[in-house]
Amino acid sequence: MAKTRLQKETIVTQLKEKFARAKSILFVSFSGITIKATDELKKEAHSADVEYTVAKKTLLKVALEGQASDMPDATTLPGNVAVLMSYGDEVSAAKIAAKAAGKFTGPYHFF
């Protein structure tokens, strides 16, 4: 079911708030990853004060407008995109993603 404009605006507002609080942000392509692997990734992320979020690329693009200039254009990223936001240690998101990529044999990309 398609999201209404109000729902999309709410998602963008929430993403902007999360991006502002995050010490580091990592974009990952999760095409082909299993639900079980995603659940394990979410559990590990939660325990390390890292949030794993999936949103439409266009909503990510809107939420990133006005943020740091070195942020990628989310609409140009390949595949399905998830965001790992670290609120504690700056490198926690990267460590978790790298560990998950080591277990996963599919096309897992970091941006």
Side-chain angles (χ1 to χ4, degrees), residues 1 13 15-16 24 36 45 48 50 68 75 81 87 90 94-95 107:
M1 185 165 129
T13 301
L15 285 170
K16 283 183 178 184
S24 65
K36 182 179 177 184
V50 173
T75 58
V81 177
Y87 299 117
E90 290 88 354
K95 286 180 181 177

Side-chain angles (χ1 to χ4, degrees), residues 27-35 37-38 41-42 52-57 60 77-84 104 106-111:
F27 296 93
V28 295
S29 172
F30 64 92
S31 298
I33 191 169
T34 64
I35 293 173
T38 301
L41 177 64
K42 286 180 182 181
Y52 178 90
T53 302
V54 176
K56 290 182 70 165
K57 292 182 207 178
L60 288 172
L77 302 175
N80 299 318
V81 177
V83 184
L84 288 166
F104 183 60
Y108 206 75
H109 305 285
F110 303 101
F111 310 104

Side-chain angles (χ1 to χ4, degrees), residues 4-83:
T4 66
R5 181 177 179 90
L6 181 60
Q7 290 172 319
K8 291 177 184 178
E9 288 173 353
T10 303
I11 291 169
V12 168
T13 301
Q14 291 171 347
L15 285 170
K16 283 183 178 184
E17 291 170 358
K18 292 174 182 181
F19 290 154
R21 282 192 354 242
K23 291 189 177 180
S24 65
I25 301 169
L26 180 69
F27 296 93
V28 295
S29 172
F30 64 92
S31 298
I33 191 169
T34 64
I35 293 173
K36 182 179 177 184
T38 301
D39 289 343
E40 290 174 10
L41 177 64
K42 286 180 182 181
K43 285 179 188 175
E44 189 171 342
H46 182 72
S47 67
D49 201 20
V50 173
E51 184 174 353
Y52 178 90
T53 302
V54 176
K56 290 182 70 165
K57 292 182 207 178
T58 52
L59 297 180
L60 288 172
K61 180 181 178 178
V62 172
L64 288 169
E65 289 175 355
Q67 298 287 334
S69 61
D70 59 346
M71 290 290 195
D73 178 356
T75 58
T76 63
L77 302 175
N80 299 318
V81 177
V83 184

